[in-house]
Amino acid sequence: MIWFALAVDLAAISVLSYALYFRRHGRRDLVLAYVALNVGIFAVVAMLTAEEVGLAVGFGLFGVLSILRLRSDTISQGEIGYYFTAIALGLINAVAAPAPWTLLGLNVLLLGIMYVADHPGILARSQRRVVTLDVVHEDPIALRQDLAGRLRGRIRHVHVMEIDYVRDLMVVDVRFQDPEQGPVPTPQRVPTIPLPTWLGGR
């Protein structure tokens, strides 16, 4: 059953890293990281299970490795979600190898959740920016109006991260919503009025 579990794991991580992540985010280095981490976890946990070594040792080891990996590079919260899904797939497929239907069901569940949760059509207009302003606003209303004009969207939440009175700047974390883009109006042809002959018309 371990070879069947390995085949399912390879198919699942291929769907997660290539079909879902890379097609939507296009970061090749993380694709390699997801695949290597998933296959490595599957191999080690499968070995621990076969040798009847305590799984707590394996889970603790990869928990430490996960923390070190997350601290070694700057990745977004969405990429962290893919990161832990790759870990979960490797663990599930190695541990649940004797129960193929449970294994398949959990793989489909995880991939389906990631497909829906990271779909471009869900909350597509909600945006987040970290903005550095060349002015310090003491009035929160003036700050929101300034950000709305710069970002051309409806401001939902503003968190002031830093204020520097010496350089007269402030750094803010902004959550805003893009305005709805209506259909582009078709330009209408303006009818021309012929000029009289005495003004040079024909």
Side-chain angles (χ1 to χ4, degrees):
M1 299 301 293
I2 191 64
W3 298 111
F4 173 76
L6 176 59
V8 173
D9 183 65
L10 292 176
I13 193 59
S14 298
V15 171
L16 179 73
S17 59
Y18 293 101
L20 295 183
Y21 176 77
F22 185 74
R23 288 170 63 90
R24 292 177 178 177
H25 302 279
R27 212 177 143 175
R28 184 178 179 275
D29 58 333
L30 285 183
V31 171
L32 175 60
Y34 296 149
V35 174
L37 180 69
N38 171 268
V39 176
I41 286 181
F42 179 89
V44 174
V45 174
M47 182 191 66
L48 294 177
T49 304
E51 296 296 331
E52 298 183 354
V53 180
L55 289 180
V57 177
F59 291 150
L61 172 63
F62 286 104
V64 173
L65 292 177
S66 300
I67 295 174
L68 293 176
R69 175 63 183 88
L70 290 175
R71 290 173 59 90
S72 63
D73 192 11
T74 301
I75 60 178
S76 67
Q77 297 299 316
E79 290 166 342
I80 292 176
Y82 280 95
Y83 188 78
F84 282 106
T85 303
I87 294 177
L89 287 173
L91 292 173
I92 289 172
N93 291 323
V95 174
W101 291 111
T102 301
L103 181 148
L104 290 173
L106 291 175
N107 276 266
V108 171
L109 177 63
L110 285 175
L111 293 176
I113 290 175
M114 292 302 295
Y115 173 81
V116 174
D118 193 39
H119 195 279
I122 297 179
L123 301 177
R125 293 172 54 205
S126 297
Q127 304 289 334
R128 173 181 179 268
R129 297 286 188 277
V130 176
V131 181
T132 301
L133 299 175
D134 57 352
V135 61
V136 175
H137 290 286
E138 299 291 347
D139 184 5
I141 298 178
L143 174 60
R144 285 177 170 266
Q145 291 176 347
D146 187 10
L147 291 171
R150 293 173 186 263
L151 299 175
R152 301 183 183 277
R154 184 164 65 90
I155 305 301
R156 301 179 63 90
H157 177 75
V158 178
H159 173 66
V160 179
M161 303 174 62
E162 180 183 352
I163 296 179
D164 190 335
Y165 288 103
V166 176
R167 295 181 293 171
D168 196 25
L169 60 84
M170 63 190 308
V171 181
V172 292
D173 184 350
V174 189
R175 316 294 166 88
F176 66 99
Q177 191 172 14
D178 286 337
E180 294 187 12
Q181 300 294 333
V184 179
T186 303
Q188 299 180 355
R189 184 175 180 180
V190 179
T192 58
I193 302 176
L195 296 174
T197 307
W198 59 276
L199 287 178
R202 296 181 178 179

